[in-house]
Amino acid sequence: MATLDSKTGVLVEKPTNVRWQVFIAIFILCSINYVDRAVISVLMPAIQSDLGFSPEMVGVILSAFFWGYVLMQIPCGWLCDKIQPGKVIVGTGVLWGVFQIITGFITSSSLFIAIRALLGISEAPIYPAGGKLQSVWLTKNERGKGSALLDSGSAVGNAIGAPLCAVFVAFLDGWRGALMAAGVLTILVVLACKPLMSHTPENSPRCNEAEREYLRKAFEEEDAESLSAMQAETGNTSTGSTLSKYMTSRSFWSLCLGFGAYDSFWYGLMTWGALYLHATHGLDIKGLGWAIFVIYMVGVVGEIVGGTLTDKWRKNSADSNKIMRRLFPVLGICIAIPMYLLSAATDVYIAVAFLSVAMFFEKWCGCLYWSLPALCTDRKHSGAVGGAMNMFGNLGGAIVPIVVGLIVGATGSYYWALMLFVALAVALGVLPALINYNKKIGME
């Protein structure tokens, strides 16, 4: 579509918005990714009863996913820097569905562990690839909204995973049919998103020249300030030099450790939130269903609103550094306060309200974190940095649920577990305030 330029009287082609179609597809894929993760927890009581797994074995099976997932974060990030990230998502996305279908046929604990680890490996590229796609499709002033679409899929997937799983069980006669149906649904969704995910702005048939030029100009300006540009000028472009710059960067470690605190909070709440509401407020399965749905959908709103507002503030500000360094600590406090007040909540509706407020600001932080690999690093290295960040996050995510269980078991209450969440909220807000947002990592 062309519009008439009022100054020149010349018809000017209006840029298409294919980049936002790509990120709507990413949102859908991340949602189905988290549905895949949610179904095993919902179905595990039936699986345990049917196959006679001990509680210890159930713990090993549930953790096996993280073995493969954490191990492959940096390799997958590196792969997304070398290969078109959308194609990586499509290829591995089909594998999510295949491994989920295979799980429905398993009868032994050893095979269960192996398939769960393989599922973790196949799902490992989704977030590093999503972070890399921001540097391929979005300008630096659009990445807050883009990362909100990327990360809000995790909340949506958790919100709809349990009821969808219940429908599968009811209509397909048990946990095996439910797992197979989830796998088939995953493959269908991935293939439906393939036409959008398989291209870059340069070769997308949906993208017009005006949108390509809009992105090209923005990337040229961004790349001129990058570590790669500086190394090209000095002639020092070795991998060792680049790695040294990142390993000695305060911004890099603030990013990784801050996201470790963020993901520890997220996975801790995801695994223990329902148990807390059941143990302290007596919610049954039906009550937990509505409570979890409300909490996570409020998080989706926080992510979309937060990403949009952050992009607007950064675009209208002459000092992006000041915006980000102030925003993260404020959001951390806004998460910590309701988690602290939750320890004194005696009414279930008040408890759900506090958890919803905390989730609103926690997912706002999530969208900011997933904008940082593209915002703070060379576009050339954003996939690897996103993988490193996510590795730290999932290490924390694997450890904190165990720590919460030990605290609750030792004290007989959730008070000190909630104080752990308060400390993580402070950390996820304070650590990214140490990043220099005016310079790319390695250029500080």
Side-chain angles (χ1 to χ4, degrees):
M1 180 179 177
T3 58
L4 188 67
D5 189 306
S6 58
K7 294 181 179 180
T8 64
V10 177
L11 284 174
V12 178
E13 187 179 31
K14 185 179 180 180
T16 50
N17 284 304
V18 177
R19 60 194 185 281
W20 295 117
Q21 297 173 27
V22 169
F23 273 82
I24 289 171
I26 280 287
F27 163 75
I28 294 169
L29 288 168
C30 286
S31 297
I32 200 68
N33 178 270
Y34 264 83
V35 168
D36 270 0
R37 300 189 198 190
V39 293
I40 193 69
S41 298
V42 176
L43 295 172
M44 187 50 74
I47 296 171
Q48 182 180 11
S49 176
D50 190 19
L51 300 182
F53 293 154
S54 67
E56 292 81 4
M57 182 54 66
V58 169
V60 172
I61 290 170
L62 291 176
S63 69
F65 172 90
F66 287 99
W67 304 350
Y69 193 84
V70 171
L71 181 67
M72 293 302 295
Q73 283 304 301
I74 291 179
C76 285
W78 175 85
L79 183 67
C80 291
D81 283 331
K82 302 298 180 182
I83 300 175
Q84 196 171 306
K87 290 183 177 179
V88 174
I89 292 176
V90 171
T92 56
V94 172
L95 290 177
W96 310 342
V98 170
F99 289 133
Q100 198 77 286
I101 292 169
I102 292 173
T103 310
F105 292 96
I106 289 175
T107 58
S108 73
S109 58
S110 57
L111 284 175
F112 236 113
I113 292 169
I115 291 299
R116 289 295 297 172
L118 288 171
L119 182 65
I121 290 172
S122 68
E123 291 194 11
I126 179 67
Y127 275 90
K132 179 67 177 182
L133 281 170
Q134 292 183 58
S135 66
V136 174
W137 279 100
L138 300 179
T139 69
K140 63 182 181 181
N141 291 326
E142 296 172 331
R143 289 171 187 159
K145 191 189 300 183
S147 61
L149 288 168
L150 167 69
D151 196 46
S152 60
S154 61
V156 171
N158 273 298
I160 67 175
L164 187 61
C165 186
V167 170
F168 287 154
V169 169
F171 284 91
L172 297 170
D173 194 28
W175 64 268
R176 293 186 184 278
L179 283 170
M180 294 177 197
V184 171
L185 177 62
T186 295
I187 293 172
L188 293 175
V189 170
V190 170
L191 293 178
C193 293
K194 180 182 177 182
L196 279 167
M197 302 302 301
S198 299
H199 297 93
T200 64
E202 289 75 21
N203 60 27
S204 171
R206 301 166 183 256
C207 187
N208 69 3
E209 189 57 36
E211 185 173 16
R212 291 190 187 97
E213 184 61 22
Y214 166 77
L215 293 172
R216 195 178 298 124
K217 287 182 178 179
F219 294 157
E220 285 175 357
E221 293 176 5
E222 184 177 356
D223 290 346
E225 303 170 355
S226 69
L227 176 62
S228 295
M230 182 193 75
Q231 290 178 325
E233 288 181 5
T234 61
N236 185 9
T237 58
S238 67
T239 301
S241 174
T242 302
L243 185 61
S244 174
K245 290 284 187 181
Y246 278 83
M247 291 298 100
T248 58
S249 167
R250 185 184 72 180
S251 292
F252 174 80
W253 289 108
S254 299
L255 171 63
C256 290
L257 295 175
F259 190 74
Y262 165 83
D263 243 10
S264 297
F265 185 104
W266 164 249
Y267 281 116
L269 201 59
M270 192 171 78
T271 51
W272 281 97
L275 291 169
Y276 161 79
L277 289 171
H278 171 72
T280 59
H281 298 285
L283 287 184
D284 58 14
I285 292 176
K286 186 181 294 184
L288 286 172
W290 74 257
I292 290 170
F293 180 82
V294 168
I295 291 166
Y296 283 115
M297 291 311 293
V298 169
V300 173
V301 174
E303 196 138 30
I304 300 298
V305 170
T308 303
L309 286 177
T310 304
D311 277 347
K312 182 178 179 180
W313 292 338
R314 291 185 64 249
K315 186 177 181 179
N316 294 333
S317 173
D319 190 350
S320 176
N321 202 48
K322 184 181 293 185
I323 293 287
M324 299 296 279
R325 283 186 161 183
R326 290 180 178 177
L327 183 56
F328 265 114
V330 169
L331 293 176
I333 292 169
C334 289
I335 301 167
I337 289 174
M339 293 304 294
Y340 179 79
L341 295 175
L342 183 62
S343 64
T346 56
D347 181 85
V348 64
Y349 294 103
I350 297 297
V352 171
F354 282 147
L355 285 167
S356 298
V357 171
M359 186 60 67
F360 180 95
F361 292 106
E362 200 264 353
K363 296 309 289 179
W364 186 335
C365 273
C367 83
L368 295 187
Y369 268 112
W370 276 111
S371 71
L372 297 186
L375 181 68
C376 296
T377 66
D378 286 12
R379 295 193 308 116
K380 181 180 177 182
H381 304 134
S382 58
V385 171
M389 182 183 87
N390 208 28
M391 183 189 73
F392 276 86
N394 281 275
L395 281 172
I399 293 169
V400 164
I402 298 172
V403 173
V404 172
L406 292 173
I407 291 172
V408 174
T411 64
S413 83
Y414 280 84
Y415 177 81
W416 287 109
L418 292 175
M419 295 306 102
L420 173 61
F421 285 115
V422 171
L424 290 171
V426 172
L428 70 86
V430 169
L431 285 166
L434 302 176
I435 297 172
N436 185 345
Y437 297 93
N438 284 337
K439 293 184 178 181
K440 298 288 187 180
I441 291 176
M443 297 283 289
E444 305 99 324

